[in-house]
Amino acid sequence: MTVIGLTEDPIAVSTLDLVLGTRSMAGTLTGSAGRNEDNVAFSGAQGMRRMVEVMPLAEPPRAYERMTSGAARFRVILDTTS
């Protein structure tokens, strides 16, 4: 199991499951590049869509302010095509 992101909630794990099941746990802030690619491919294959706010590339200060204030919903993406 890979835990991605932060929370103060504890995770209960049986040592029997870890040891006898030869399983492992790891933590990461964003996941590895390979895992992220796998997750995107899996999500697309399941018909899932990303949940983002798209802002024009000309507005990075506004995008950063929304992100740091907590007003942004999900992730803020700067659109390089506009």
Side-chain angles (χ1 to χ4, degrees):
M1 177 168 76
T2 302
V3 178
I4 301 173
L6 298 173
T7 179
E8 293 185 13
D9 299 329
I11 298 173
V13 178
S14 164
T15 56
L16 288 173
D17 288 339
L18 286 175
V19 176
L20 298 178
T22 62
R23 293 181 174 90
S24 62
M25 291 182 65
T28 181
L29 289 175
T30 60
S32 68
R35 293 257 180 177
N36 288 339
E37 287 177 20
D38 291 344
N39 290 337
V40 169
F42 174 80
S43 298
Q46 300 303 312
M48 296 177 193
R49 299 192 59 191
R50 64 182 184 211
M51 298 168 76
V52 297
E53 264 186 61
V54 179
M55 298 182 73
L57 183 60
E59 298 187 29
R62 185 170 154 242
Y64 184 76
E65 186 279 324
R66 286 190 59 73
M67 180 189 70
T68 57
S69 71
R73 182 95 195 240
F74 311 109
R75 292 182 180 251
V76 175
I77 305 295
L78 294 175
D79 183 358
T80 60
T81 63
S82 61

